[in-house]
C-alpha cells in the first residue's frame, strides 16, 4: 500500500492550492453543531447515503476497504456507503472548493494535514471526539501528532507505515543485523563485493540519499534529529544530530566512491518491481517499510530474509528499536452533506479493532490502535512484528505538522544530494542556508 514516494509532487501541488483557497461553503451542517441523537448511535442516525473517497486502486486494496466497511454497514443498516477509489489529495481540495465534497475522504500522506486543518478543508473532529468520549491514548503519540495542527484534530490515523532494516540472510553470512551506525558501516564494507576493477557487484548497504527510501525523514530518527525549534522555526542548522548523520553517510559514500556507487545504483532494478535489487541479492541490507514484507511474499517467494530496527547513533543507544512513522489519514471534509453519519464511519474505521485488523491483514500496513496491534486475529510473523514494535516504541517519531511539510523535506533532500556528491564545502554554512530557506518560506505562509 506504500504511496509515500508518489505523494511529494501531489503534496506540493495541494499545498499551493490550499494557500490560495478558501474552502467552499454549501450550507451543510458542520460537525459538532447539531445535538447528539438520543439513544444508541445506530438506532438514532437517520437513513442517509454517504460517499467515501480513498486512494486505493488495486483490486485487492479496493476489496479490503469494502470488507472493512462491511462491519459498519451491519451496524448502521440505514446508512448506504458508496466507495470511490483512486482519489488524490488535490481532487479532495478542489471538491471542497467547488461545493461537491464527499462525506468522508482519506489520504496516503500526512504532508497536507497542517494545511487542511488551518484552511478548514477538513473539519475539526475535536468536538465529536469529546462528545463520544474517545480515549486518544489508544493511539501512539506519533500518530496523534501527525493528525492535528494548531489545536485542531482534523483527521484520524487509519493505518500506519513504519520503517526498519531488511537483510538478506544468505548475504549476511551469519552476521547479526547492526544496532549502531558504526556497526552498519563495518558490516556494509565487509559484505560489499567488487570486481577486480572496483566495480560494485553487491553492496552491503547503499548510503546514497538518492536510493529508494533513504530520504531525510526516514533517516532522522537514527540520530534523533529534530526538524523544528519550539518556536516552529527550522532546527536543521542548530541540531548537531543532522551533522552527525551527514558525516556518517559521507564517510561511507566516499569509501564506495561516489561515481562508483552512483553507477551501481543506476544499474539496479526498479523499487516497485520484481527486479528490486534486494530480491536479487544485489544489496545485503536496506531501509524499507513494513509493506515490503507483503511484496517479498508475492514477488520474491523463497527469499530468506530478516528484519530489524534501524541502526542508531553510537552515542544514543536508547533510540534503538524506534524509527520513523507516518500513514494514511481519514476525516470529514467541509461541506459533507451528512457529517454525523460521516463521523460515525470515520470513528468506526479508525477505532474498531475488527475493521483495523481487516485492513491490516489485507494491505499489510500497521494498524494504529493498541487493541488492533495486540489482536489475535492480526496476521503477523517475526518479520512483520518488527514494524509493530517500531511503531509502538515511545521514541518513534514523525514529521512535525507544518504548512510547508513537502517544501521542507524537498529542500533538505536537495541539500543532502549535493552533500553526498561533494558539492558542499562548508557543512555548517550549508545547513544554515537550509534553515534560511525553510524559515523564509514559513514567513511567507504566515507562520
Amino acid at each position: 500500500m506504500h504511496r509515500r514516494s508518489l505523494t511529494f509532487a501531489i503534496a506540493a501541488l495541494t499545498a499551493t492550492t490550499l494557500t490560495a483557497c478558501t474552502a467552499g461553503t454549501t450550507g451543510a451542517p458542520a460537525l459538532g453543531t447539531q445535538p447528539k441523537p438520543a439513544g444508541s448511535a445506530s438506532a438514532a442516525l437517520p437513513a442517509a447515503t454517504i460517499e467515501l473517497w480513498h486512494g486505493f486502486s488495486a483490486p485487492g486494496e479496493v476489496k479490503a476497504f469494502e470488507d472493512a466497511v462491511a462491519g459498519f454497514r451491519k451496524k448502521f443498516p440505514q446508512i448506504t456507503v458508496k466507495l470511490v477509489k483512486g482519489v488524490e489529495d488535490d481532487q479532495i481540495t478542489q471538491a471542497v472548493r467547488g461545493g461537491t465534497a464527499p462525506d468522508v475522504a482519506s489520504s496516503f500522506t500526512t504532508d497536507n494535514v497542517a494545511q487542511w486543518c488551518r484552511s478548514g478543508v477538513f473539519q475539526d473532529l475535536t468536538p465529536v471526539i469529546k462528545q463520544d468520549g474517545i480515549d486518544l491514548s489508544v493511539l501512539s503519540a506519533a500518530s496523534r501528532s501527525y493528525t492535528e495542527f494548531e489545536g485542531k484534530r482534523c483527521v484520524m490515523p487509519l493505518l500506519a507505515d513504519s520503517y526498519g532494516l531488511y537483510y538478506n540472510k544468505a548475504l549476511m553470512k551469519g552476521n547479526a543485523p547492526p544496532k549502531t551506525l558504526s556497526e552498519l558501516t563495518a558490516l556494509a564494507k565487509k559484505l560489499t563485493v567488487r570486481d577486480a576493477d572496483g566495480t560494485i557487484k553487491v553492496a552491503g548497504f547503499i548510503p546514497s540519499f538518492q536510493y529508494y527510501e533513504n530520504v531525510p525523514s526516514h533517516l532522522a530518527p537514527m540520530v534523533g534529529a529534530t526538524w523544528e525549534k519550539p518556536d516552529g522555526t527550522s532546527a536543521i542548522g542548530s541540531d548537531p544530530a543532522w551533522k552527525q548523520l551527514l558525516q556518517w553517510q559521507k564517510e561511507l559514500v566516499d569509501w564506495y566512491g561516489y561515481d562508483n556507487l552512483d553507477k551501481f545504483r543506476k544499474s539496479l532494478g526498479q523499487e516497485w518491481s520484481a527486479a528490486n535489487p534486494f530480491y536479487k541479492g544485489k544489496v545485503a541490507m536496506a531501509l524499507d517499510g513494513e509493506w515490503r514484507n507483503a511484496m517479498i511474499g508475492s514477488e520474491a517467494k523463497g527469499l530468506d530474509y530478516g528484519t530489524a530496527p534501524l541502526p542508531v547513533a553510537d552515542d544514543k543507544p536508547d533510540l534503538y528499536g524506534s524509527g520513523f512513522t507516518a500513514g494514511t489519514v481519514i476525516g470529514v471534509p467541509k461541506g459533507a452533506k451528512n457529517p454525523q453519519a460521516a463521523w460515525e464511519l470515520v470513528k468506526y474505521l479508525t477505532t474498531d479493532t475488527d475493521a483495523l485488523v481487516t485492513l491490516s491483514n489485507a494491505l499489510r500496513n500497521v494498524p494504529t490502535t493498541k487493541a488492533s496491534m495486540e489482536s489475535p486475529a492480526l496476521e503477523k510473523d517475526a518479520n512483520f512484528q518488527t514494524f509493530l514494535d517500531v511503531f509502538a516504541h515511545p521514541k518513534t517519531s514523525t514529521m512535525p505538522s507544518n504548512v510547508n511539510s513537502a517544501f521542507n523535506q524537498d529542500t533538505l533532500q536537495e541539500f543532502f544530494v549535493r552533500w553526498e556528491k561533494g558539492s558542499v564545502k562548508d557543512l555548517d554554512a550549508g545547513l544554515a542556508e537550509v534553515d534560511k530557506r525553510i524559515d523564509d518560506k514559513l514567513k511567507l505562509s504566515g507562520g
Side-chain angles (χ1 to χ4, degrees):
M1 193 279 292
H2 173 68
R3 298 290 190 277
R4 198 71 54 239
S5 62
L6 303 179
T7 58
F8 284 110
I10 296 169
L13 171 63
T14 306
T16 303
T17 304
L18 287 168
T19 301
C21 131
T22 300
T25 56
T26 63
L31 274 173
T33 61
Q34 297 176 302
K36 184 178 181 180
S40 69
S42 58
L45 276 179
T49 296
I50 59 176
E51 195 166 81
L52 186 161
W53 289 6
H54 64 81
F56 299 96
S57 56
E61 297 173 341
V62 173
K63 182 181 184 301
F65 232 86
E66 287 283 359
D67 291 345
V69 171
F72 178 83
R73 290 180 172 129
K74 183 176 181 180
K75 184 177 181 180
F76 296 92
Q78 74 276 31
I79 305 298
T80 299
V81 181
K82 293 184 176 180
L83 301 180
V84 179
K85 66 180 181 179
V87 177
E88 297 180 345
D89 286 10
D90 57 334
Q91 294 172 271
I92 298 169
T93 302
Q94 294 296 341
V96 171
R97 291 184 66 192
T100 59
D103 296 284
V104 179
S106 72
S107 169
F108 289 127
T109 178
T110 60
D111 291 333
N112 292 324
V113 169
Q115 281 280 11
W116 279 335
C117 287
R118 172 178 284 186
S119 66
V121 165
F122 275 71
Q123 299 186 42
D124 186 6
L125 302 176
T126 304
V128 285
I129 288 172
K130 292 180 178 178
Q131 170 185 282
D132 289 359
I134 295 175
D135 180 7
L136 293 178
S137 69
V138 301
L139 305 171
S140 72
S143 62
R144 294 198 301 271
S145 171
Y146 65 63
T147 50
E148 68 175 347
F149 183 67
E150 295 179 338
K152 293 181 180 179
R153 183 173 303 283
C154 61
V155 289
M156 289 283 282
L158 183 54
L159 292 174
D161 293 325
S162 63
Y163 293 77
L165 186 75
Y166 284 74
Y167 57 93
N168 182 310
K169 289 185 177 180
L171 296 179
M172 292 287 279
K173 300 176 182 177
N175 289 284
K179 292 186 176 181
T180 66
L181 293 182
S182 62
E183 289 177 358
L184 175 58
T185 296
L187 194 54
K189 293 177 179 179
K190 180 179 180 181
L191 301 181
T192 293
V193 179
R194 302 177 191 253
D195 284 333
D197 64 357
T199 299
I200 301 168
K201 293 181 63 179
V202 176
F205 179 81
I206 296 180
S208 172
F209 294 129
Q210 300 172 76
Y211 182 67
Y212 302 158
E213 300 297 322
N214 294 1
V215 297
S217 58
H218 299 168
L219 295 165
M222 297 167 68
V223 293
T226 57
W227 289 80
E228 295 178 358
K229 298 176 183 177
D231 64 0
T233 57
S234 177
I236 290 166
S238 58
D239 184 347
W242 287 111
K243 189 173 181 179
Q244 182 181 31
L245 175 66
L246 287 162
Q247 290 174 329
W248 162 78
Q249 183 264 356
K250 189 67 164 62
E251 188 275 335
L252 190 51
V253 168
D254 289 348
W255 180 82
Y256 279 107
Y258 176 79
D259 291 340
N260 202 19
L261 185 64
D262 197 51
K263 178 182 178 181
F264 177 71
R265 179 182 63 82
K266 290 177 178 176
S267 73
L268 300 174
Q270 294 295 316
E271 180 180 7
W272 308 111
S273 75
N276 184 296
F278 182 73
Y279 305 164
K280 300 300 182 181
K282 292 288 187 179
V283 178
M285 299 176 289
L287 182 160
D288 219 330
E290 81 293 331
W291 63 84
R292 184 61 60 187
N293 287 292
M295 292 184 173
I296 290 173
S298 62
E299 297 173 344
K301 293 179 180 178
L303 178 66
D304 190 13
Y305 75 101
T307 64
L310 288 173
V312 300
D314 292 62
D315 60 341
K316 299 169 186 173
D318 58 315
L319 291 176
Y320 187 72
S322 67
F324 176 80
T325 186
T328 301
V329 296
I330 189 168
V332 180
K334 184 174 184 178
K337 297 177 179 61
N338 299 285
Q340 188 60 44
W343 161 242
E344 291 295 340
L345 179 55
V346 169
K347 180 172 66 174
Y348 177 81
L349 289 174
T350 59
T351 63
D352 184 86
T353 298
D354 289 342
L356 286 167
V357 169
T358 295
L359 284 171
S360 179
N361 285 345
L363 303 174
R364 303 319 290 146
N365 298 123
V366 176
T368 42
T369 66
K370 294 177 182 177
S372 58
M373 285 194 290
E374 296 170 358
S375 171
L378 182 65
E379 298 171 4
K380 54 190 175 183
D381 57 17
N383 285 331
F384 190 71
Q385 184 66 48
T386 294
F387 299 92
L388 297 175
D389 293 341
V390 168
F391 180 73
H393 195 283
K395 290 188 179 293
T396 283
S397 58
T398 188
M399 281 291 300
S401 292
N402 190 292
V403 292
N404 299 317
S405 180
F407 174 85
N408 296 349
Q409 293 175 74
D410 289 345
T411 298
L412 189 54
Q413 175 73 7
E414 290 168 7
F415 177 76
F416 274 24
V417 172
R418 289 195 292 116
W419 164 256
E420 74 175 40
K421 289 180 177 180
S423 301
V424 177
K425 303 307 178 185
D426 186 330
L427 180 54
D428 291 324
L431 291 172
E433 179 60 27
V434 171
D435 277 345
K436 185 178 186 303
R437 289 186 63 193
I438 289 175
D439 289 343
D440 286 349
K441 179 70 171 179
L442 186 64
K443 291 176 184 176
L444 290 173
S445 305

